[in-house]
Amino acid sequence: MSLENLPPLREVIATHGLAPRKSLGQNFLLDLNLTGKIARQAGDLSGYDVLEIGPGPGGLTRALLAEGARKVVAIETDTRCLPALAEIGAAANGRLHVLSGDALKLDPLPHLQGPVKVVANLPYNVGTELLVRWLTPSTWPPFWESLTLMFQREVAERIVAKPGSKAYGRLAVLSQFRADPNICFELSPQAFSPPPKVTSAVVHIKALAAPRFQAEPKLLSEVVARAFNQRRKMLRASLKGVVPEIQAVLENVEIDPQRRAETLSLEEFCKLSEAVRVARRQG
Ligand code: SAM
């Protein structure tokens, strides 16, 4: 059997008894034209290992293999999906490697060879957590060259948000500090089975070779989290305790202590976190 001759996904779901489970965020994509379109947002896959989280019945997995991925490493927690994925593996001459378990606990790196792209229709309940982990590795550049991910539209908007908007927050700063995120296209609930309540969007995030501005990533993350934790407060209040003299530190980098987190640009957050670093060293 070749990839093109695999049965339609509805048939696969019926044969293997894959009734979608809400608790696992199972909203499946059954249209192979659509999964092909998503896979193509990741660019050329030949010569790349692809990490996929949550292959489910394998619609996107098939597309990634058909688009020429050297190898797909797919982590799936629902063991009911394994026989369907094994059929895809057999049709793809061993280019599919399935890891059975929780993507938050399994380390796929021993199974991947660079260069790597990540492509996934993420389970909503672990999507943001995985994204934050991929954006905050201990070394940069990260193991991935790009992330092509499906999110709820509201999360996609938070990833690409600019200062001054309601969606701007920690996710925007972390995503834009040393990567370049774009929304590729939106998908209506009807694209999925069963349809979720909200519109979804595919986001493509390309890793930059180096950060846009100098900052110590862990400290930047801490400052941004603190600032947005109380986003309606002035920075002098929301950042109280980050360093004893936060008002003076803000003034030193020419940020008015009365401003609110959502008005600060990425460059200003980086400047501020560098100033906090220096103040902590001196203190
Ligand atoms: N990729 C398939 C598609 O596009 O039709 C399924 C996408 S569905 C939104 C999310 C998938 O992630 C489900 O197959 C679900 O079982 C799986 N999943 C949920 N939580 C997971 C976890 N912690 N680790 C790995 N897979 C998970």
Side-chain angles (χ1 to χ4, degrees), residues 24-29 52 54-56 75-78 101-103 121 123:
L24 292 175
Q26 291 184 334
N27 300 100
F28 298 136
L29 288 166
E52 184 191 3
I75 306 181
E76 175 56 62
T77 196
D78 185 352
D102 182 348
N121 174 14

Side-chain angles (χ1 to χ4, degrees), residues 9 13 21 23-30 35 38 52-61 74-81 99-106 119-126 130 150 192-193:
L9 287 162
I13 287 171
R21 290 195 177 143
S23 60
L24 292 175
Q26 291 184 334
N27 300 100
F28 298 136
L29 288 166
L30 304 185
T35 57
I38 296 167
E52 184 191 3
I53 308 299
L60 185 55
T61 319
I75 306 181
E76 175 56 62
T77 196
D78 185 352
T79 52
R80 295 180 309 160
C81 299
L99 300 174
S100 175
D102 182 348
L104 291 174
K105 295 194 183 128
L106 282 178
V119 185
N121 174 14
L122 289 173
Y124 73 93
N125 48 346
V126 295
L130 284 170
M150 178 91 70
F192 302 85
S193 175

Side-chain angles (χ1 to χ4, degrees), residues 3-280:
L3 279 172
E4 307 83 67
N5 296 332
L6 285 165
L9 287 162
R10 279 189 198 285
E11 201 177 306
V12 172
I13 287 171
T15 310
H16 296 287
L18 304 180
R21 290 195 177 143
K22 208 173 169 188
S23 60
L24 292 175
Q26 291 184 334
N27 300 100
F28 298 136
L29 288 166
L30 304 185
D31 178 349
L32 293 173
N33 290 318
L34 201 50
T35 57
K37 185 174 171 188
I38 296 167
R40 284 192 294 279
Q41 304 306 312
D44 186 13
L45 295 182
S46 56
Y48 284 88
D49 279 9
V50 175
L51 172 63
E52 184 191 3
I53 308 299
L60 185 55
T61 319
R62 289 192 201 186
L64 296 168
L65 292 162
E67 288 297 320
R70 179 174 60 197
K71 177 176 167 186
V72 174
V73 174
I75 306 181
E76 175 56 62
T77 196
D78 185 352
T79 52
R80 295 180 309 160
C81 299
L82 298 180
L85 295 169
E87 284 171 13
I88 299 174
N93 301 322
R95 286 188 294 137
L96 174 61
H97 186 81
V98 179
L99 300 174
S100 175
D102 182 348
L104 291 174
K105 295 194 183 128
L106 282 178
D107 178 10
L109 290 190
H111 305 277
L112 290 164
Q113 260 196 323
V116 173
K117 292 183 176 182
V118 179
V119 185
N121 174 14
L122 289 173
Y124 73 93
N125 48 346
V126 295
T128 316
E129 164 86 37
L130 284 170
L131 175 63
V132 170
R133 287 191 194 183
W134 288 326
L135 291 170
T136 54
S138 50
T139 56
W140 199 269
F143 78 88
W144 50 272
E145 203 170 279
S146 66
L147 309 171
T148 306
L149 306 171
M150 178 91 70
F151 286 105
Q152 299 174 26
R153 181 173 59 187
E154 176 254 322
V155 177
E157 282 168 353
R158 280 166 48 207
I159 292 169
V160 302
K162 297 293 174 206
S165 65
K166 248 172 87 180
Y168 185 61
R170 178 165 172 257
L171 213 48
V173 174
L174 291 184
S175 304
Q176 296 167 37
F177 171 46
R178 43 193 179 173
D180 190 15
N182 286 294
I183 294 182
C184 307
F185 59 91
E186 293 182 355
L187 286 94
S188 75
Q190 283 65 42
F192 302 85
S193 175
K197 286 203 176 73
V198 294
T199 299
S200 302
V202 174
V203 182
H204 183 72
I205 303 175
K206 196 174 167 348
L208 301 176
R212 288 179 205 275
F213 307 103
Q214 194 184 324
E216 205 277 295
K218 268 216 168 89
L219 186 53
L220 175 67
S221 195
E222 180 195 329
V223 169
V224 171
R226 295 280 285 263
F228 283 107
N229 243 345
Q230 296 171 294
R231 61 186 294 142
R232 301 305 310 153
K233 286 201 173 164
M234 294 178 194
L235 290 167
R236 67 168 182 223
S238 58
L239 293 179
K240 204 171 169 192
V242 168
V243 282
E245 298 300 328
I246 189 61
Q247 173 123 355
V249 170
L250 283 160
E251 281 164 359
N252 270 346
V253 288
E254 292 173 354
I255 297 173
D256 182 344
Q258 298 195 33
R259 284 172 63 186
R260 296 189 167 86
E262 67 193 34
T263 71
L264 258 60
S265 66
L266 172 63
E267 184 173 11
E268 286 176 315
F269 268 120
C270 291
K271 242 174 26 181
L272 174 58
S273 98
E274 281 297 273
V276 167
R277 186 173 62 83
V278 171
R280 279 187 181 172

